[in-house]
Amino acid sequence: MPIDIPLLTRICEAPGAPGYEKEIRKLVLAELSGLADSIKVDAMGNVIALKKGKSASHKIMAAAHMDEIGFIVTHIDDKGFVRFNPVGGFDPKTLTSQRVIIHGSKDLMGVMGSKPVHIMSPEEKNKVPKITDYFIDTGLPKKEVEKLVSIGDFVTRHSPLIELGDCVNVKSLDNRASVFVLIQTLRALKASKRKPAYDFHAVFTVQEEVGLRGAQASALQVQPDFSFGLDTTIAYDIPGSTPQERCTALGEGAAIKLMDSSVICDYRMIEFMKATAKRHHIKWQPEILSAGGTDTANLQRMVAGGSIAGAISVPTRHIHQTIETCHKEDLSACVQLLSACVCDLDQHDWNF
Ligand SMILES: [Zn+2]
């Protein structure tokens, strides 16, 4: 199945730091038009699209977070350089020579500056950089910066989408890859006229990168019986990795999560997902992520009595950098797997 590159481009390039998902939410709402029976936005900003199923006896929820890691402006110094705090988990070394956008009274480009290597002492050269070593240079003097930028403005990474071999490369594939998968799943259901087994709540969550917060509020509201977290995962299939470290590999298919640091997926759900992939000839690989959590944790627990939870992950190289990379066929496999799972849920024995 070919990937809709223009849609993926729009989704990935839209800004949306945690708590400031306005632009990406606007885009998601526009793309959902005609794909669901009802669409609402809750008080926190989560988008909840309901597609009615064959039966209303149970509820299915799938959640993809819309937010991306970003920064918040904390200070403008005397020379006009902008200081910031990270919002979400950044590896400081990945900030070197990055272009960013300050979302001030109007968008302003900036670059992440730090001390040139030529004037570093031997000790400094050997040290791992800290977030506080960096500042944002807008090329403007303090007076001009202050006209456009205020303390509390959000900053996101700048990196347009390119096609890279069989892959796509852009900022924010974590987790816009899954936002894309969820929208494409609703499109696929509409095109094939297949109905989900039960009422299907497709939820685009906020503030995942700072602690799965939107998923908590939306799961409390939806109260699903069955749930699917949708997120990216690490593909450490690169030089220097050992086979036991790789987690997943690009091009090996949709990843069926077994566990991460926040959730142990329900073994009945894992069996169902594997059997569904096999039945529909969808390429899949298992995923165990030893560090890092996903919305799946709150989908499983923020329901009285819990929900039967699993997760589909999109293998991603260079995650949490501006050069995140996913394989087009994996994206396609994720759409196929989610579509098949929501339609076939009533054909499984869910007894313990
Ligand atoms: Zn994520």
Side-chain angles (χ1 to χ4, degrees):
M1 188 173 46
I3 287 297
D4 183 343
I5 295 290
L7 175 64
L8 184 62
T9 304
R10 288 198 298 279
I11 290 173
C12 289
E13 293 183 2
Y20 286 76
E21 295 89 353
K22 192 174 173 188
E23 292 300 320
I24 178 64
R25 181 168 43 246
K26 210 161 55 180
L27 180 71
V28 165
L29 286 168
E31 294 297 337
L32 286 176
S33 166
L35 297 181
D37 293 294
S38 71
I39 300 166
K40 65 178 175 187
V41 181
D42 72 13
M44 256 188 106
N46 298 296
V47 176
I48 304 175
L50 166 64
K51 173 134 182 104
K52 287 208 175 109
K54 286 179 265 175
S55 158
S57 63
H58 296 78
K59 282 184 272 186
I60 311 168
M61 176 171 172
H65 72 84
M66 296 185 285
D67 59 311
E68 60 175 312
I69 51 175
F71 314 92
I72 187 167
V73 172
T74 54
H75 177 68
I76 301 163
D77 78 11
D78 292 344
K79 298 254 167 55
F81 295 117
V82 176
R83 294 288 179 162
F84 58 87
N85 280 347
V87 185
F90 273 100
D91 173 353
K93 73 172 183 289
T94 65
L95 302 188
T96 303
S97 27
Q98 299 296 347
R99 287 190 180 137
V100 294
I101 306 167
I102 304 176
H103 303 285
S105 56
K106 72 173 206 212
D107 284 356
L108 185 63
M109 288 296 300
V111 294
M112 285 280 178
S114 59
K115 194 169 181 179
V117 72
H118 314 73
I119 51 170
M120 280 181 173
S121 67
E123 300 78 61
E124 282 175 323
K125 277 184 194 167
N126 288 327
K127 266 207 308 222
V128 179
K130 300 189 295 295
I131 294 263
T132 47
D133 293 338
Y134 296 86
F135 52 85
I136 299 168
D137 180 1
T138 64
L140 291 171
K142 182 182 174 78
K143 243 167 76 187
E144 295 302 314
V145 176
E146 280 179 336
K147 281 185 199 161
L148 300 169
V149 180
S150 307
I151 306 303
D153 284 345
F154 268 77
V155 181
T156 56
R157 297 160 295 169
H158 177 262
S159 165
L161 183 141
I162 57 166
E163 291 183 63
L164 193 71
D166 298 326
C167 300
V168 285
N169 174 267
V170 60
K171 74 154 181 91
S172 316
L173 276 166
D174 178 5
N175 186 33
R176 305 298 174 69
S178 302
V179 168
F180 174 81
V181 166
L182 192 47
I183 290 173
Q184 289 295 69
T185 298
L186 290 169
R187 274 191 185 177
L189 292 174
K190 186 179 177 183
S192 67
K193 297 194 168 66
R194 275 179 301 164
K195 272 199 159 190
Y198 307 112
D199 284 357
F200 175 41
H201 299 257
V203 182
F204 301 84
T205 61
V206 296
Q207 300 189 38
E208 189 271 353
E209 294 288 359
V210 288
L212 327 179
R213 297 176 191 174
Q216 181 166 359
S218 52
L220 280 167
Q221 179 165 13
V222 173
Q223 293 286 290
D225 300 282
F226 300 98
S227 58
F228 297 92
L230 307 173
D231 209 330
T232 49
T233 191
I234 289 168
Y236 187 45
D237 55 343
I238 55 176
S241 66
T242 58
Q244 65 269 27
E245 285 176 317
R246 69 173 207 166
C247 189
T248 63
L250 288 202
E252 293 296 312
I256 295 177
K257 188 184 287 293
L258 310 183
M259 68 175 290
D260 61 35
S261 63
S262 69
V263 69
I264 295 169
C265 292
D266 191 295
Y267 62 79
R268 295 166 293 175
M269 182 57 95
I270 293 168
E271 285 313 309
F272 164 71
M273 291 171 77
K274 287 182 186 174
T276 303
K278 197 172 163 199
R279 198 164 55 248
H280 291 268
H281 310 288
I282 300 162
K283 204 168 172 186
W284 69 276
Q285 53 187 319
E287 179 219 353
I288 295 175
L289 181 65
S290 44
T294 57
D295 277 348
T296 323
N298 277 340
L299 303 187
Q300 185 181 50
R301 288 180 295 186
M302 290 300 141
V303 179
S307 79
I308 301 178
I312 299 173
S313 304
V314 188
T316 306
R317 273 188 203 153
H318 323 305
I319 206 163
H320 281 209
Q321 304 190 30
T322 52
I323 52 162
E324 294 178 340
T325 299
C326 292
H327 198 288
K328 291 178 197 170
E329 283 175 16
D330 294 341
L331 285 164
S332 184
C334 290
V335 174
Q336 290 172 50
L337 182 58
L338 182 61
S339 311
C341 283
V342 297
C343 291
D344 293 358
L345 264 173
D346 55 352
Q347 288 162 41
H348 190 74
D349 177 3
W350 294 100
N351 287 316
F352 276 112

